[in-house]
Amino acid sequence: MSAVAEGSDVTVDQVRVVIAEDEAIIRLDLKEILTSAGYDVVGETARGDEAVALVDDHRPDLVILDVKMPGMDGVRAAREITGRHRVAVLVLTAFSQRDLIEEARDAGVAAYLVKPFRREELLPAVAEVLSRCRQEWAIDEEIAAAGPSDSADHDVAEDKIATRRLVEEAKAVLIDRHDMSEPDAFAFVQRTAMQTRSRMRDVARRVVDGELAP
């Protein structure tokens, strides 16, 4: 039976992970925590440039990057990786400056975790990052599947933003009114859209307006 991360739609034994952390003890802790939870650590390194190469080679679902590493820092590595692959990125940092966090976000980092961390912090953070990214990718795929239109690129971007906003509002309604978990709430919107051949934004709007419920 596959293990599922608590509070998540993530089946952990299907998740491949690359770890890049220049402190050997922390890197070992990361690997032990993840493997004991059922994740498949397919590569590890102490260098940012090698992390990029490992992601190229292994195509993982998740990469965990330390901010400060030899060869290439974590933010630059994240930018290289997300520019080439669809992969969730979690950054580890001992620094909590807002400018660094914003720079990491602009580089495609889905979330960050401040060191030192505990197992009880790492595993939920990993599950949340994977779940959030998979939801984002599902929305992107739906919009891409609609095919070319007369809309300009900025209109497509606005469509994605509007869809994400409506889906977030619908999830909040489903969580508050129907006691659903966040992943289950998204799954309801996505599944209903597929079953009714509708767009997720249209299903989400019906949920928000009170016209649709589980």
Side-chain angles (χ1 to χ4, degrees):
M1 181 178 296
S2 297
V4 178
E6 184 177 352
S8 170
D9 56 355
V10 175
T11 305
V12 298
D13 58 2
Q14 297 175 351
V15 176
R16 294 157 54 83
V17 185
V18 164
I19 298 170
E21 163 62 60
D22 66 339
E23 295 186 47
I25 294 177
I26 296 178
R27 190 168 67 250
L28 179 60
D29 285 344
L30 283 168
K31 184 175 182 179
E32 289 182 347
I33 292 171
L34 291 170
T35 55
S36 67
Y39 292 93
D40 182 13
V41 177
V42 296
E44 54 182 302
T45 180
R47 298 177 57 89
D49 50 353
E50 291 179 359
V52 175
L54 283 171
V55 173
D56 286 341
D57 291 341
H58 295 286
R59 304 295 177 92
D61 304 284
L62 169 71
V63 56
I64 299 177
L65 300 169
D66 185 27
V67 167
K68 300 297 182 181
M69 291 183 290
M72 183 184 295
D73 66 62
V75 173
R76 181 181 169 194
R79 187 174 290 108
E80 292 279 341
I81 289 167
T82 58
R84 302 181 194 179
H85 307 288
R86 192 175 73 172
V87 57
V89 179
L90 173 66
V91 158
L92 300 174
T93 177
F95 311 94
S96 57
Q97 294 97 327
R98 182 169 297 276
D99 57 346
L100 176 61
I101 295 168
E102 291 176 352
E103 184 181 356
R105 187 179 296 114
D106 291 341
V109 173
Y112 73 97
L113 188 63
V114 177
K115 298 187 291 186
F117 57 84
R118 297 173 298 171
R119 175 189 177 93
E120 294 77 13
E121 296 168 329
L122 175 65
L123 293 179
V126 167
E128 181 181 356
V129 166
L130 288 165
S131 180
R132 185 189 312 154
C133 285
R134 288 178 176 181
Q135 292 178 27
E136 293 283 332
W137 297 335
I139 291 172
D140 289 345
E141 287 173 359
E142 180 187 80
I143 292 174
S149 66
D150 295 330
S151 299
D153 289 342
H154 72 274
D155 293 327
V156 173
E158 288 296 324
D159 190 10
K160 290 181 181 180
I161 292 171
T163 298
R164 288 169 180 149
R165 177 179 56 78
L166 279 166
V167 169
E168 287 300 317
E169 291 179 7
K171 287 193 298 182
V173 169
L174 292 168
I175 291 168
D176 292 340
R177 298 181 187 173
H178 303 283
D179 197 28
M180 299 180 74
S181 69
E182 192 269 347
D184 286 344
F186 179 81
F188 172 77
V189 173
Q190 184 181 32
R191 182 173 60 252
T192 303
M194 294 175 66
Q195 291 172 345
T196 60
R197 296 185 179 181
S198 305
R199 296 188 60 183
M200 279 189 277
R201 66 183 295 174
D202 297 327
V203 172
R205 183 179 291 109
R206 292 178 61 200
V207 171
V208 172
D209 291 343
E211 301 173 3
L212 179 65

